Amino acid sequence: MSASFRPDIQGLRALAVGGVVAYHFGLTALPGGFAGVDIFFVISGWLISTHLMREITETGRLDLWRFYARRARRLLPAALFVILVTLAAGYFILSPREQALYSRGAMYASAYAINLWLLRWSFDYFAADALSNPFIHFWSLSVEEQFYLVWPALLLLAAWLRPGKHMAIAVIGAAGLASFAACLWLTSAAPAWAFYFSPLRAWEFAAGGLATLAPATLWRNRLEQFIVSRKRRTAPALCPDAIADGKPFHAFPGIARWLRAVQGWLGLALIAAAYLALSEDLPFPGWYALLPVAGTVLVLLSGAGEEDDSETVSPARWQALAPASLLSLPPLQWIGALSYSLYLWHWPVIVYAGMLVPDLTVAQRLGCGALALALSFLTYHLIENPARRGGWPIAGARAFRFAAIPVRKPFHTFPGIALAPALALTGAGVAVAYANAHLATRNIDPAQRGIEQAAEQPSIARARDANCLLDFHTVKPKPCVFGPADAAHTIVLFGDSHADHWSTPLVAAARRNDTKVVTYLKSSCRASRLSTFNAVLKRDYTECDAWREQAIADIIRRKPRLVVISEFSIGNLTRDLPAAGRKAETARWQAGLRSTLQAFSKAGVETAVIRDTPIGDSFADSCVARALWWRKAPSRCDTPRTEAANDKAAAAERAVVKSVPDTLYVDLTDRFCGPTQCHVFIGGKLAFRDRHHLATAFAETLEGPLEKALF
């Protein structure tokens, strides 16, 4: 064990990976466990800055090839092994279409660039479909590797400008402030960029770097001075001498150790607050990331500079006070040692388990945790540790060490032979993932292709113009007209994406009845006058409220024969709330729906409300495709009616409709559900393209029932 080894940092690693695993395994008591990744970022900034600054200070230069070779030896072998095993297991678990998609993700994960791939698709880390991506957790490792590429150059720049810590602090501080400011702005403007883009996470690494560069005892000495000055005024007899032999405040022995203990426990309290108070509904990282970042910095500082403290407090007493006494516990040290392998393994284990058993019990989740730990233990002892302590690729770095990069001298050209093994491993991972994607594409048979096409086919409204279903930010309504301009009648379709999927059968039925259809549709925006929280924007959906009022006024001016409303059911939205919260939210929604219906009724416009579709436990397209790949019946993807149909919410909705004149209630639930089950594959067709949106090909079959109900 290195003389510089700090058990408290190992314990911090355990807390970090424990939070992430708890969050991913569904431990609702720690809704902010995902902030464990931020703890890792700060630790990396601390350790890497410490090592690089020590080398620059002692030698006046920085051997970049040796540095990168050590990083590759530390991270690549275990990561590549997990990627390959995950790909192999995916052949038996994922559908061919999923294999092809996620193999491309594995290619980017092998090259430590998957965060950029996720950015390309604006992939939401907190979205429900993230549960199907077995490589999404590699985003943080990609951010960290990209940090390793840039950070040494930044420290070299600071040393070239002026050797010493002061210039390094200035350069890193400026970079960190710029990164933090951009992160704050984009957390609301472009959340995916703020979350995944490494320059916008650089401030977290910078926080760790600044903490190790700043004198560890600086602020504690200032605090000591304040405390002693107060004591001198209140109890001068206890302060005979203030400063002696260059060491401050001997009249108060051991005060630095006490202050460090307070500092460390405060840091742990901030980390605990992050785990308990943060959630996926808050805009993250942004301001909220300061909780785990500041907490980690305080814990790291509390364990630094102990050699400068007075020795007048007994070590045993200090150990009882310091947070290191908690972080040094053997279980935390063991998990901390396994933290990298555990982080690699835990996510594919829980993803694949959730696909095989959609409703995992607590016992099954604990079993998955035990499996992840066992795999981590084996990977650590058989791959990670031997690679880190073995001769590759650092041997190459020593054998082919040309000229290191001297401070204040131009950069030399290096052949990069030291990194040949690392490049070979990376290339092997990319090549295997590419070959796996090609093989998976060849395994997509006509049935699988049909499922894919059914899920991707847009509604008739979105096929005409994607902007017929407005995005989150647009406020001005965009009516889209379907049918002849001189049609005898006009029907308006009004609501969110759950109204959009009815556009396909409604336009077809209207065409047969000399009626044109005008759509007023906005993503995630109900027709009911109900202010809601937008999970993507991470704030109140004010754009929806403004759009809705303009749309209602515009519709009334049109004087249509009928307004057809459909929206994401409040029962779907509140299914996970406790009974009291569900009751209050349902009452609020009923009032909002009644207000909208009454606005049309008072204007003499008739209204029809279509009961919302059921919501399944799984994504229908992926689940059915997997069932076909496993040679199983698609019915394994069905959901019990008691869970999917929201019959109680429908009864509350029906009661509101009956209370408003000139309003019709249309219930087609029996087209999806039998007495006990709601189906995802009906009449040889995929009924839903995800958990609750109708697949367009199946929606076409509902033209007759909808025509009968409305015409």
Side-chain angles (χ1 to χ4, degrees):
M1 184 176 295
S2 169
S4 61
F5 175 79
R6 282 179 51 181
D8 58 329
I9 293 182
Q10 195 79 305
L12 266 180
R13 289 193 178 105
L15 292 184
V17 77
V20 174
V21 172
Y23 172 74
H24 285 157
F25 276 51
L27 183 61
T28 56
L30 293 179
F34 56 84
V37 170
D38 303 84
I39 297 175
F40 278 125
F41 287 166
V42 178
I43 292 175
S44 293
W46 171 283
L47 293 176
I48 297 303
S49 298
T50 300
H51 297 159
L52 294 178
M53 284 302 297
R54 180 182 298 123
E55 184 174 351
I56 291 174
T57 302
E58 293 176 355
T59 68
R61 60 184 64 221
L62 191 57
D63 190 340
L64 288 180
W65 294 114
R66 183 173 184 272
F67 169 75
Y68 291 132
R70 288 171 63 89
R71 291 297 90 205
R73 185 180 64 179
R74 169 72 176 88
L75 301 174
L76 269 177
L80 180 62
F81 177 67
V82 172
I83 288 172
L84 295 180
V85 174
T86 303
L87 285 173
Y91 177 83
F92 302 98
I93 299 174
L94 300 170
S95 69
R97 180 174 65 89
E98 291 175 311
Q99 293 174 40
L101 173 64
Y102 297 135
S103 292
R104 288 191 285 273
M107 289 172 54
Y108 285 92
S110 299
Y112 289 99
I114 194 173
N115 61 323
L116 304 179
W117 183 70
L118 294 169
L119 272 178
R120 178 186 176 189
W121 302 104
S122 296
F123 200 88
D124 185 359
Y125 179 78
F126 300 108
D129 52 354
L131 298 177
S132 301
N133 187 339
F135 298 104
I136 191 175
H137 64 312
F138 273 85
W139 77 269
S140 62
L141 303 179
S142 299
V143 168
E144 194 156 333
E145 281 297 298
Q146 291 157 23
F147 158 74
Y148 294 150
L149 289 176
V150 176
W151 207 247
L154 199 65
L155 294 179
L156 278 171
L157 172 63
W160 183 81
L161 292 172
R162 175 182 292 179
K165 288 186 176 181
H166 290 89
M167 181 55 68
I169 291 173
V171 170
I172 293 175
L177 285 175
S179 170
F180 182 61
C183 180
L184 286 181
W185 172 50
L186 289 174
T187 294
S188 58
W193 282 85
F195 195 90
Y196 289 122
F197 196 39
S198 49
L200 302 181
R201 290 296 193 124
W203 67 273
E204 301 184 45
F205 297 96
L210 287 174
T212 190
L213 290 172
T217 58
L218 179 63
W219 79 271
R220 285 197 298 269
N221 287 343
R222 297 294 180 270
L223 189 56
E224 283 184 49
Q225 188 175 11
F226 171 76
I227 293 174
V228 171
S229 63
R230 296 275 298 181
K231 284 289 184 181
R232 186 176 293 115
R233 286 197 299 267
T234 57
L238 298 178
C239 303
D241 297 302
I243 300 178
D245 299 326
K247 292 185 178 181
F249 316 123
H250 277 219
F252 295 90
I255 190 171
R257 292 179 182 259
W258 288 89
L259 291 176
R260 191 162 70 244
V262 172
Q263 177 181 342
W265 288 114
L266 176 59
L268 289 179
L270 290 177
I271 292 174
Y275 281 4
L276 295 172
L278 298 182
S279 75
E280 59 190 48
D281 291 331
L282 296 173
F284 195 87
W287 290 106
Y288 291 103
L290 287 174
L291 271 176
V293 169
T296 306
V297 167
L298 288 175
V299 175
L300 290 171
L301 286 174
S302 74
E306 184 177 356
E307 65 277 3
D308 297 328
D309 290 337
S310 169
E311 298 296 333
T312 52
V313 175
S314 67
R317 189 177 182 187
W318 160 242
Q319 287 297 328
L321 290 173
S325 61
L326 172 65
L327 297 174
S328 300
L329 291 174
L332 291 181
Q333 294 297 295
W334 185 69
I335 294 175
L338 300 180
S339 59
Y340 178 58
S341 291
L342 181 57
Y343 182 83
L344 291 173
W345 276 117
H346 83 282
W347 183 241
V349 166
I350 195 64
V351 166
Y352 285 162
M355 292 176 180
L356 296 171
V357 184
D359 295 315
L360 290 169
T361 64
V362 173
Q364 289 168 332
R365 291 178 184 274
L366 290 175
C368 289
L371 175 60
L373 271 175
L375 292 171
S376 305
F377 180 82
L378 293 174
T379 303
Y380 175 76
H381 286 286
L382 299 181
I383 297 175
E384 182 186 345
N385 218 24
R388 184 173 62 214
R389 295 183 176 181
W392 89 268
I394 201 65
R398 289 169 179 162
F400 298 97
R401 213 161 152 189
F402 290 88
I405 300 179
V407 177
R408 293 185 179 275
K409 292 185 179 180
F411 284 66
H412 297 292
T413 302
F414 291 85
I417 298 177
L419 290 179
L423 295 175
L425 277 183
T426 299
V430 172
V432 170
Y434 177 82
N436 196 68
H438 183 69
L439 174 64
T441 302
R442 297 183 60 180
N443 287 333
I444 300 177
D445 58 24
Q448 295 280 345
R449 186 73 66 190
I451 296 297
E452 181 179 359
Q453 292 172 348
E456 292 177 349
Q457 184 181 356
S459 67
I460 193 171
R462 287 182 290 115
R464 163 79 68 81
D465 184 348
N467 291 322
C468 287
L469 179 65
L470 294 179
D471 59 25
F472 295 135
H473 299 286
T474 304
V475 172
K476 184 178 180 180
K478 176 182 172 59
C480 294
V481 181
F482 300 85
D486 59 350
H489 305 288
T490 298
I491 284 181
V492 168
L493 179 62
F494 179 37
D496 54 19
S497 60
H498 279 226
D500 167 64
H501 63 204
W502 288 108
S503 66
T504 300
L506 180 61
V507 168
R511 187 180 297 115
R512 293 162 52 90
N513 290 271
D514 193 21
T515 301
K516 67 181 177 184
V517 174
V518 182
T519 63
Y520 286 81
L521 306 170
K522 182 173 173 64
S523 183
S524 299
C525 185
R526 290 175 176 78
S528 300
R529 282 169 161 160
L530 176 69
S531 297
T532 58
F533 178 87
N534 187 286
V536 175
L537 299 176
K538 309 293 185 184
R539 58 175 173 79
D540 291 338
Y541 197 7
T542 55
E543 293 90 342
C544 173
D545 297 335
W547 171 85
R548 184 192 303 114
E549 294 309 312
Q550 294 181 53
I552 290 174
D554 200 8
I555 292 169
I556 290 175
R557 282 194 295 269
R558 285 182 178 271
K559 293 291 183 182
R561 185 182 73 81
L562 181 69
V563 176
V564 178
I565 290 175
S566 187
E567 60 187 16
F568 190 61
S569 168
I570 193 68
N572 293 338
L573 189 66
T574 62
R575 60 189 304 179
D576 296 326
L577 292 179
R582 188 161 56 248
K583 182 178 179 180
E585 195 66 13
T586 299
R588 195 168 72 91
W589 162 69
Q590 284 181 295
L593 176 60
R594 183 178 292 107
S595 177
T596 297
L597 297 179
Q598 287 176 342
F600 291 126
S601 179
K602 290 177 181 178
V605 178
E606 295 184 8
T607 311
V609 177
I610 303 178
R611 177 178 173 177
D612 193 22
T613 52
I615 182 169
D617 286 335
S618 59
F619 284 76
D621 57 333
S622 300
C623 186
V624 171
R626 286 185 216 123
L628 295 177
W629 178 245
W630 300 342
R631 304 291 190 268
K632 302 287 186 181
S635 58
R636 74 180 305 277
C637 303
D638 294 345
T639 303
R641 177 167 180 146
T642 53
E643 298 177 15
N646 293 298
D647 289 327
K648 290 184 178 179
E653 187 176 51
R654 190 189 301 269
V656 173
V657 170
K658 289 180 65 176
S659 69
V660 180
D662 300 321
T663 306
L664 171 71
Y665 194 66
V666 179
D667 189 348
L668 299 180
T669 305
D670 290 342
R671 297 285 172 175
F672 315 104
C673 304
T676 60
Q677 296 286 317
C678 290
H679 310 294
V680 298
F681 201 74
I682 304 171
K685 293 182 180 293
L686 183 71
F688 298 90
R689 57 183 171 89
D690 49 27
R691 293 180 65 199
H692 44 74
H693 289 99
L694 290 175
T696 298
F698 179 75
E700 292 172 349
T701 69
L702 301 176
E703 174 191 342
L706 194 62
E707 181 181 14
K708 182 179 179 180
L710 296 179
F711 294 92

